[in-house]
Amino acid sequence: MRAIKLNGSGGPEAMVLADAPDPVPGHGEVLIEVAAAGVNRADTMQRQGLYPPPPGASEIIGLEVSGVIAELGDGVRDWQVGDRVCALLSGGGYAEKVVAPATQLLPVPAGLDLGAAAGLPEVAATVWSNLVMTAGLRSGQLLLIHGGGSGIGTHAIQVARSLGARVAVTAGSADKLARCKDLGASVLINYREDDFVAAVQAEGGADVILDNMGAAYLSRNVDALANFGRLAIIGMQGGVNGELNVAALLRKWGTVHATNVRNRPVTGHGSKAEIIAEVRGNLWPLVADGSIVPVIHAEVPIAEASEAHRLLESSEAFGKVVLRVRDL
C-alpha cells in the first residue's frame, strides 16, 4: 500500500508518500480500505516528534479514517465486508489501508460523504467523553469552548446545543465568531481583543470549560469557572507547565480534568471501546438525522499531506481538514 511516512521529524516537509507493508487484521480487528483520513493537532505534534504513538500502535500518522471494510479478523461478528465505516485509531490513518479494533468502528450514516465522515470519530470521541462522560454537562449550564472554530470546537458547539446547554466560545476573528454563532454559540469572545474571564463571569461563570491551551490558560480558566465548575483540559497548545491557584479552585468547589483519547486502553473502564459505545448510542443518532453535522474546511489529496498540516497549523481553517485517499 501507499502511506505517508516521516523522514525524520520536523516541519510538514518531513512527510512523504511512500510504499509501506499492508496491515493484517488480528483477532477482533477489521481491515479498512481507506477513503479519507482526518487531520488533527495530535498529528502535527507526532510529526514534530512530540507525541509518539502508544506501544504497539502503527508509526504511521493518523487517528481517524473512513472507508469500507475489506476483511474481518477472527472473532468479529457485528460487521461485514463492504460495510461503510469510520474508525477511531491509535495510529495508521494516513494510508490506503488500516486495521482497527471492531469496537472502535462507527457506521457511516446513509447520505453522508466518506470524506466528511473521516472528520468525525476523533472529535466525537473527544467531545462526548469530556463534556458528558467526564464533566457531566447538562441542560441550562454554560460551556466555554476555547478555539470555537477548530474541529473540536465546531463539533462541541453542536453537541452542547443538542444537550440544551448555553455555549460561549473564543476565536481570533469576527468571521469565525459569526460562524460559531450560526452553529449555536451565544457568547462570542474575540481572544485577541476581549478578556474571556470577564466575558464569562458576566454570564455567571462557566459550568464547564473545554480547553485546548493547557498551561497558558490554567489560572484564568479557574477564574472563569462558576461554583462547582469543571475544567476539562484536552490540549497543550499553550504549554505544559502552569501555576494552579489551589485556593481559588477550593473556593469554587471546582475540579480540573486532563484527558486524551489516544492512550486509553482498547477495552474496559474508560477505554476507547466504552467511549465509542457511548457515542454510537447517544450522539450518532443526531449525526444520522442531521442535527449534528461534520464541519469540513478543506479536503486535500493525501499526496499533499504537508499542505494539509500547513493549513491546520496556520489557524486559518474553520472546522476539520481531511485527506482524501481514494474514491470509494
Side-chain angles (χ1 to χ4, degrees):
M1 70 175 183
R2 303 282 280 171
I4 294 294
K5 290 187 172 182
L6 290 175
N7 184 14
S9 58
E13 67 280 355
M15 297 187 297
V16 294
L17 186 63
D19 290 329
D22 286 357
V24 177
H27 182 81
E29 296 180 330
V30 304
L31 176 68
I32 300 171
E33 295 275 0
V34 177
V39 179
N40 294 281
R41 288 280 181 180
D43 303 346
T44 66
M45 291 176 63
Q46 181 174 338
R47 189 203 72 224
Q48 296 171 66
L50 302 175
Y51 193 20
S58 172
E59 295 287 337
I60 296 170
I61 295 174
L63 301 181
E64 57 185 348
V65 297
S66 64
V68 175
I69 295 178
E71 184 180 342
L72 304 178
D74 292 342
V76 176
R77 300 286 182 265
D78 297 331
W79 300 94
Q80 301 295 326
V81 170
D83 285 346
R84 298 169 76 245
V85 296
C86 52
L88 180 69
L89 309 170
S90 296
Y94 290 15
E96 292 177 333
K97 300 176 183 179
V98 70
V99 294
T103 53
Q104 291 170 212
L105 303 182
L106 291 161
V108 175
L112 184 62
D113 176 74
L114 284 172
L120 279 172
E122 178 69 17
V123 295
T126 298
V127 169
W128 193 263
S129 65
N130 279 279
L131 295 190
V132 180
M133 299 172 70
T134 298
L137 182 67
R138 300 187 299 278
S139 178
Q141 294 188 330
L142 178 65
L143 167 68
L144 169 61
I145 303 167
H146 289 299
S150 66
I152 291 287
T154 54
H155 188 79
I157 292 170
Q158 297 179 78
V159 170
R161 181 198 64 200
S162 74
L163 294 170
R166 296 187 300 134
V167 181
V169 296
T170 65
S173 71
D175 176 66
K176 284 189 175 182
L177 289 172
R179 296 173 75 179
C180 288
K181 182 179 180 180
D182 290 341
L183 290 173
S186 58
V187 181
L188 310 175
I189 306 163
N190 187 325
Y191 65 77
R192 301 182 192 278
E193 301 172 357
D194 305 320
D195 178 4
F196 76 80
V197 176
V200 172
Q201 286 179 337
E203 300 291 327
D207 298 289
V208 177
I209 299 177
L210 188 63
D211 173 60
N212 60 357
M213 294 299 293
Y217 277 12
L218 181 57
S219 63
R220 296 171 68 203
N221 277 332
V222 171
D223 290 341
L225 286 174
N227 288 342
F228 301 101
R230 292 85 72 195
L231 168 60
I233 300 173
I234 60 170
M236 302 174 291
Q237 294 180 38
V240 299
N241 293 313
E243 185 171 307
L244 175 65
N245 185 331
V246 176
L249 193 64
L250 283 168
R251 284 195 298 269
K252 295 184 174 185
W253 306 280
T255 55
V256 178
H257 306 271
T259 75
N260 67 35
V261 173
R262 187 182 196 183
N263 289 294
R264 290 173 181 259
V266 175
T267 60
H269 177 66
S271 65
K272 290 189 276 285
E274 183 178 75
I275 292 171
I276 291 299
E278 286 280 327
V279 166
R280 186 170 182 178
N282 297 287
L283 174 58
W284 222 238
L286 301 174
V287 175
D289 70 14
S291 299
I292 293 177
V293 299
V295 179
I296 306 299
H297 178 86
E299 190 175 286
V300 180
I302 191 172
E304 300 172 20
S306 58
E307 293 305 313
H309 275 219
R310 289 189 181 97
L311 176 58
L312 188 66
E313 292 177 310
S314 73
S315 297
E316 295 176 5
F318 184 85
K320 294 282 291 193
V321 177
V322 299
L323 298 177
R324 173 62 75 165
V325 177
R326 74 182 95 195
D327 292 325
L328 291 174

